[in-house]
Amino acid sequence: HAKARGLQYACTAYIPGDPTLLAPFVDYLKLSSFEAFDQGLRAEVRGPMIISIGMASEQEAKEIALYLGGGDYLLACTSAYPASLDSLNLEYLRRMAAPSDDPSGRFSCGIGFSDHSHDVRVGAWAVAAGASILETHVRLNHCNPANKDYAVSFTPAEFAEYVANIRDAESALGDEVRRVQECEKSMLPFRVKS
């Protein structure tokens, strides 16, 4: 169904054997922040990988990034359920995504954000800060409220708003080219030149 919609499909691997079992069915395998340092589980992954780095120090994040290549993604993350806005540290995400003259500060992998905020605005902010992929949680109405992910999971309607906000942010970010835009041309006669 995901492929028919033009979407890539990922699944999180938690225990030994999961990567081998899941690989034929997914475009990416993901390791959560809890399994990010499980070298045995990482070694089982064949193909593109996504790793969250909640609960990781700067040095630990760099060590994990060294393990990843061009087709992989490192996700900034706050491992709290829900994560408060002041704990998200999207400025770090901006720094991860920025080019660096210091080779030790560069990430050869893609940069993204794993969002546990349950705030429909945060995905758009993460995109503005440099995230090229996002992960969040979606739940159906019959899900068990006792589930740890329930409090951070969007209903389908909330998720639609989350995605709409992301699309607005992508549109507002533009293409980095400075030029006179079509919508500005009618203002050109009023520009003062001396």
Side-chain angles (χ1 to χ4, degrees), residues 87-155:
S87 73
L88 299 180
N89 196 12
L90 294 178
E91 196 60 40
Y92 177 70
L93 178 63
R94 182 188 317 275
R95 187 163 58 84
M96 288 171 61
S100 170
D101 292 333
D102 173 13
S104 69
R106 287 191 185 150
F107 292 92
S108 61
C109 57
I111 302 302
F113 185 67
S114 178
D115 185 2
H116 299 133
S117 70
H118 196 256
D119 187 312
V120 296
R121 304 168 299 172
V122 170
W125 297 342
V127 166
S132 57
I133 66 168
L134 297 166
E135 178 207 19
T136 193
H137 300 246
V138 179
R139 64 176 159 85
L140 302 176
N141 293 330
H142 64 275
C143 291
N144 183 350
N147 183 302
K148 188 73 169 166
D149 287 338
Y150 187 91
V152 300
S153 299
F154 292 114
T155 65

Side-chain angles (χ1 to χ4, degrees), residues 60-69 74 106-109:
E60 290 169 328
K62 286 181 179 179
E63 288 170 13
I64 291 173
L66 290 173
Y67 185 82
L68 300 175
L74 190 69
R106 287 191 185 150
F107 292 92
S108 61
C109 57

